[in-house]
Amino acid sequence: LWCSMSSTSSASSTSRAHVAPGIDARSNASRARASSRAGASRARRTGAVPKDVKVDVAPDEGDDFFRRTVAVACASAVACANIASTSSAALVAMAMPATDGATEAYGGEFEFTTPPPTPESRMRAPPPVIDVVGIKPTLDAGYKTTQVSQKLTAGERETIELFNKAKGSVVYITNVAVRRDAYTLNLTETPQGAGSGIVWDTKGHIVTNYHVIDKANALKVTIGTDIATQKVYDANVVGFDDDKDIAVLELLDPEARRDAKPLTIGRSSEASVGQRVFAIGNPFGLDHTLTTGVISGLGREIQSGNTGRPIDGIIQTDAAINPGNSGGPLINSSGQLLGINTAIYSASGTSSGVGFALPSDMVSGIVDQLIRFGRVTRPILGISFAPDGALDQLGLGGVLVLDAREGGPAWRAGVRSTSRDESGRLILGDIIIELAGEQIQDSSDLYRTLDKLTVGDTVELKLIRGVDKVTTNIELDDVKDMKPPTPSTVVVPLRTKKPPGAPY
């Protein structure tokens, strides 16, 4: 420990320790310690220096806790002696003066001891309390902080009114899993997910995302804007469309239907980029949370997290959407539904300013079908096809048909499946390159074109068969009429490892 130790006011100014200009005090002190160990011992034996001199100095890391030495550069031998007397330390050794030809510096070595450490002394000392002597605080028994009423702008008042009007139409949905205890065999309900939902009509229908209710054994719907008066009701699934991530629930309790307040449904086709929007939901279980933003883009395309099928016409917004907002409404300044919040683009899983909502025009059509039939009526070709990468390896575009289901639209139109000959060589089936006048480059194009068609339509289909181009007409069937593939028609995709037990 190198320091500059000064004498008290009673000591003379010549007794102050200092480092002489141009002199290396460290080397002086080192020589002092190296050359004076024997002198220190003699001083102790003769009684010239007290044996147990204590000083109020905290020990440093690496030093002996009970006895340490401090080396100081002194201006003279008298100064070193004065330091010993004024600092309650014992001068155990003093080196001969070192000189650079102009000045001299003495090396003094001082020794002190400290008491044994206690658990309290090892803890960090609390910060000192500043006490100004002679000044007392002024107390005012009648003091009270002055507060003023806030003044809201016209825009803020409109937002508050909009939120208070719309929040009653937003519900909190809990996905419950029913499990049996391994020891008691009792059934227990455990929440495994949560999200938001929208009151769709006065008949007790709730619209939300399919991924909110996926794999649920039971569904609980919380209705009410005040925590003290909120009620939890059971709900059943009316139907769902996992391709578009939409599900419709029905409240079972007649009282719940009376308490539910439907939201006004707007037209997403009238939305514009830059338009102000509001997202209401229950992020992280925090019910009825409002975030604001604008429409950042229209006509986006995302993939369904349930089936991988593309969903187009998506609304992009910078309103904060977090886990728990799924299924909640995205409304305009008039309180009308423009979309259902469904996904975010984020590496962390929280809002990054890029959120996506299903457009209300698409949602309305799907919800109507689910309420009427319990399922979605969607046209199909009746085929299974290879992954997009299979044709990329061959330098071709389009959709390679692996299997045309027997009795399906493609089978009736004469579409050929991929097969193997007697030698086990792969014979490619037809490749779809155009449907209803739309170019087909991959499976997304095929799905997108089918979404524009309806069941029963007869459209033109263009194929590549070997080296020839073939054109045929195909009548589209309903998805419910699709038959499952038979083992004899299942074809292993190109460059795919065969599963264990495969027949070929």
Side-chain angles (χ1 to χ4, degrees):
L1 175 65
W2 288 92
C3 60
S4 176
M5 302 177 60
S6 61
S7 62
T8 59
S9 58
S10 60
S12 63
S13 59
T14 59
S15 300
R16 295 174 183 169
H18 67 280
V19 179
I23 300 299
D24 186 354
R26 289 181 181 269
S27 58
N28 288 338
S30 300
R31 289 193 297 271
R33 287 192 296 271
S35 62
S36 303
R37 295 298 181 185
S41 300
R42 288 193 299 272
R44 290 291 187 187
R45 289 196 301 270
T46 57
V49 178
K51 294 183 178 180
D52 293 320
V53 178
K54 297 181 180 180
V55 293
D56 188 13
V57 179
D60 292 331
E61 295 183 1
D63 291 333
D64 185 1
F65 198 98
F66 299 98
R67 177 169 296 171
R68 294 182 298 118
T69 58
V70 177
V72 179
C74 308
S76 63
V78 176
C80 287
N82 288 339
I83 292 173
S85 62
T86 57
S87 63
S88 300
L91 177 62
V92 297
M94 185 171 66
M96 297 300 293
T99 178
D100 60 354
T103 57
E104 294 182 349
Y106 288 79
E109 186 174 294
F110 302 87
E111 184 180 82
F112 56 88
T113 59
T114 56
T118 62
E120 292 78 8
S121 65
R122 292 184 180 275
M123 299 176 62
R124 184 181 296 275
V129 178
I130 300 176
D131 184 15
V132 182
V133 181
I135 301 179
K136 296 182 179 181
T138 302
L139 303 179
D140 186 354
Y143 181 81
K144 185 178 180 180
T145 301
T146 302
Q147 294 178 287
V148 297
S149 299
Q150 61 178 345
K151 296 181 180 180
L152 301 176
T153 64
E156 290 174 331
R157 288 193 295 269
E158 291 177 359
T159 302
I160 294 173
E161 182 180 356
L162 172 70
F163 173 69
N164 291 332
K165 182 180 177 180
K167 67 180 182 180
S169 302
V170 183
V171 299
Y172 183 64
I173 301 175
T174 304
N175 184 324
V176 179
V178 178
R179 296 183 174 88
R180 187 179 298 276
D181 187 270
Y183 298 99
T184 65
L185 301 181
N186 294 329
L187 294 177
T188 59
E189 294 184 346
T190 305
Q192 63 179 357
S196 305
I198 303 168
V199 180
W200 194 259
D201 54 30
T202 57
K203 298 181 180 180
H205 291 117
I206 306 296
V207 177
T208 184
N209 288 139
Y210 171 74
H211 71 262
V212 172
I213 67 164
D214 187 24
K215 297 180 178 62
N217 297 117
L219 294 170
K220 305 291 184 180
V221 177
T222 303
I223 299 178
T225 58
D226 188 0
I227 298 179
T229 59
Q230 283 181 345
K231 297 181 179 179
V232 181
Y233 301 98
D234 293 325
N236 279 345
V237 178
V238 176
F240 60 84
D241 182 3
D242 50 354
D243 287 335
K244 303 298 183 183
D245 199 24
I246 297 175
V248 177
L249 313 180
E250 182 182 16
L251 296 172
L252 303 178
D253 195 328
E255 180 184 356
R257 300 183 181 185
R258 292 192 300 268
D259 295 341
K261 179 182 177 183
L263 188 65
T264 304
I265 312 301
R267 296 182 181 275
S268 58
S269 59
E270 300 175 354
S272 302
V273 175
Q275 178 180 348
R276 193 177 183 190
V277 289
F278 306 85
I280 304 177
N282 307 283
F284 305 106
L286 304 173
D287 61 333
H288 297 97
T289 299
L290 173 70
T291 56
T292 64
V294 297
I295 294 178
S296 307
L298 295 171
R300 304 301 192 202
E301 181 180 296
I302 62 175
Q303 281 191 332
S304 171
N306 310 305
T307 63
R309 186 162 180 163
I311 309 175
D312 56 358
I314 296 295
I315 299 174
Q316 177 186 334
T317 179
D318 66 347
I321 299 176
N322 289 290
N325 273 115
S326 295
L330 185 71
I331 61 178
N332 58 17
S333 300
S334 300
Q336 300 172 343
L337 178 71
L338 290 183
I340 295 181
N341 303 319
T342 186
I344 58 175
Y345 182 83
S346 173
S348 62
T350 57
S351 176
S352 60
V354 182
F356 301 103
L358 303 172
S360 59
D361 292 352
M362 180 188 71
V363 173
S364 298
I366 294 176
V367 169
D368 290 348
Q369 293 188 56
L370 293 176
I371 294 177
R372 291 175 184 172
F373 312 113
R375 61 179 182 83
V376 174
T377 302
R378 181 170 291 125
I380 62 168
L381 296 177
I383 63 171
S384 59
F385 49 85
D388 295 332
L391 287 181
D392 291 341
Q393 298 173 8
L394 301 177
L396 300 175
V399 173
L400 173 63
V401 178
L402 294 180
D403 178 34
R405 311 290 172 82
E406 182 178 356
W411 184 83
R412 296 195 303 266
V415 177
R416 295 182 180 178
S417 304
T418 300
S419 60
R420 295 181 182 273
D421 60 15
E422 296 178 353
S423 301
R425 291 175 299 184
L426 193 67
I427 302 175
L428 296 183
D430 292 340
I431 300 174
I432 300 174
I433 59 174
E434 186 176 317
L435 177 64
E438 299 287 343
Q439 296 292 324
I440 306 299
Q441 293 292 331
D442 52 28
S443 59
S444 296
D445 292 339
L446 181 61
Y447 282 131
R448 194 179 299 110
T449 303
L450 286 173
D451 287 339
K452 300 176 183 178
L453 304 174
T454 58
V455 175
D457 287 347
T458 300
V459 296
E460 187 178 71
L461 178 66
K462 291 186 179 182
L463 311 165
I464 293 180
R465 181 174 297 166
V467 295
D468 301 325
K469 288 187 177 180
V470 178
T471 301
T472 184
N473 292 326
I474 184 170
E475 182 182 358
L476 304 178
D477 283 354
D478 190 359
V479 64
K480 70 180 180 63
D481 300 325
M482 182 174 63
K483 297 180 180 179
T486 60
S488 60
T489 59
V490 175
V491 178
V492 178
L494 296 179
R495 295 182 181 271
T496 301
K497 184 178 180 181
K498 292 190 296 184
Y504 42 78

